[in-house]
Amino acid sequence: AQTVTQSQPEMSVQEAETVTLSCTYDTSESDYYLFWYKQPPSRQMILVIRQEAYKQQNATENRFSVNFQKAAKSFSLKISDSQLGDAAMYFCAYRIQGAQKLVFGQGTRLTINP
Amino acid sequence: GAVVSQHPSRVICKSGTSVKIECRSLDFQATTMFWYRQFPKKSLMLMATSNEGSKATYEQGVEKDKFLINHASLTLSTLTVTSAHPEDSSFYICSASLPANYGYTFGSGTRLTVV
């Protein structure tokens, strides 16, 4: 069974600094997709970034970037120049090609200190 | 684009009654929708996957007779919590699979309180 593990229940960072959230996953598949979702206090799930496993290049979206290590089955999220609005729960998620459902990690609660 | 509207955002009901939660895709056709339950400070737990025009596929341990899912059109899926009890109190979120790009969009969630 596919599993996603986020080993950091909570993280905090000073405003304007950089923070990295870790995520590992377990799969025997070669074709899959990885996602990071943000859930702010409003509880609306917001897509932060996605990565196709066949792409070697790490995905980036403005201040958000990933370090995708396929062999190590690792998919960490780096947030640069942290802002107060980045405070949220962050969930790593995985989906195999051809499947429908997402498998979520346990989440990491990120606090931004002003 | 690709907005999913979920209603109601909050509902309080008496024990033993049924509650219906709606999830509508506003600007796209949602062939597949998902229903999640989220406990406080926990991750999303998939309850079921619904495909338009067919029966929902429930995850192991989810009571299909208690959580009725209907996906009769390409823009509407509903979750009905039947004979609700206080232990059904939770945050329920719907999600739709976006066509062609393997992404997902989520509703804003429904906080159900059963008293």
Side-chain angles (χ1 to χ4, degrees), chain B residues 5-74:
Chain B
S5 177
Q6 184 173 344
H7 292 280
S9 57
R10 293 174 182 264
V11 59
I12 301 173
C13 71
K14 291 185 178 180
S15 187
T17 63
S18 295
V19 173
K20 181 184 284 187
I21 302 170
E22 290 190 349
C23 187
R24 292 182 184 273
S25 59
L26 299 185
D27 48 7
F28 68 102
Q29 293 183 328
T31 307
T32 305
M33 286 190 171
F34 308 87
W35 287 95
Y36 295 88
R37 183 173 180 174
Q38 187 179 29
F39 292 102
K41 298 185 180 180
K42 297 293 185 182
S43 188
L44 280 70
M45 181 189 78
L46 180 65
M47 300 174 65
T49 301
S50 73
N51 290 293
E52 184 266 338
S54 60
K55 289 185 178 181
T57 302
Y58 290 82
E59 294 298 304
Q60 191 173 7
V62 177
E63 298 177 62
K64 59 180 67 176
D65 293 331
K66 166 167 275 297
F67 299 101
L68 299 180
I69 291 171
N70 184 282
H71 193 165
S73 79
L74 287 171

Side-chain angles (χ1 to χ4, degrees), chain A residues 39 44 50 95 100 105, chain B residues 38 43 59 101 104 106 111:
Chain A
Q39 188 180 42
Q44 173 72 58
R50 65 188 287 265
R95 171 190 171 178
Q100 294 179 317
Chain B
Q38 187 179 29
S43 188
E59 294 298 304
N101 69 357
Y104 303 83
F106 288 80
R111 181 179 301 283

Side-chain angles (χ1 to χ4, degrees), chain A residues 30-79:
Chain A
S30 59
D31 256 348
Y32 50 87
Y33 300 84
L34 295 162
F35 306 84
W36 277 99
Y37 280 91
K38 167 185 177 180
Q39 188 180 42
S42 68
R43 303 192 78 170
Q44 173 72 58
M45 294 288 284
I46 301 166
L47 176 65
V48 175
I49 201 165
R50 65 188 287 265
Q51 173 86 41
E52 293 93 335
Y54 66 86
K55 289 187 177 179
Q56 292 186 339
Q57 187 172 8
N58 290 324
T60 63
E61 287 288 341
N62 301 312
R63 297 183 294 107
F64 299 88
S65 61
V66 298
N67 183 4
F68 173 47
Q69 301 289 329
K70 190 172 184 179
K73 298 179 183 176
S74 170
F75 183 60
S76 60
L77 174 69
K78 185 171 84 171
I79 306 174

Side-chain angles (χ1 to χ4, degrees), chain A residues 63-107:
Chain A
R63 297 183 294 107
F64 299 88
S65 61
V66 298
N67 183 4
F68 173 47
Q69 301 289 329
K70 190 172 184 179
K73 298 179 183 176
S74 170
F75 183 60
S76 60
L77 174 69
K78 185 171 84 171
I79 306 174
S80 304
D81 186 25
S82 298
Q83 300 176 0
L84 295 177
D86 295 334
M89 280 289 286
Y90 285 81
F91 293 99
C92 178
Y94 159 97
R95 171 190 171 178
I96 63 172
Q97 171 106 7
Q100 294 179 317
K101 64 183 183 183
L102 280 175
V103 177
F104 283 94
Q106 306 92 321

Side-chain angles (χ1 to χ4, degrees), chain A residues 7-28:
Chain A
S7 58
Q8 306 153 314
E10 296 183 353
M11 291 282 284
S12 63
V13 64
Q14 289 294 126
E15 191 176 4
E17 294 189 349
T18 297
V19 64
T20 298
L21 308 184
S22 65
C23 172
T24 59
Y25 55 95
D26 183 23
T27 183
S28 57

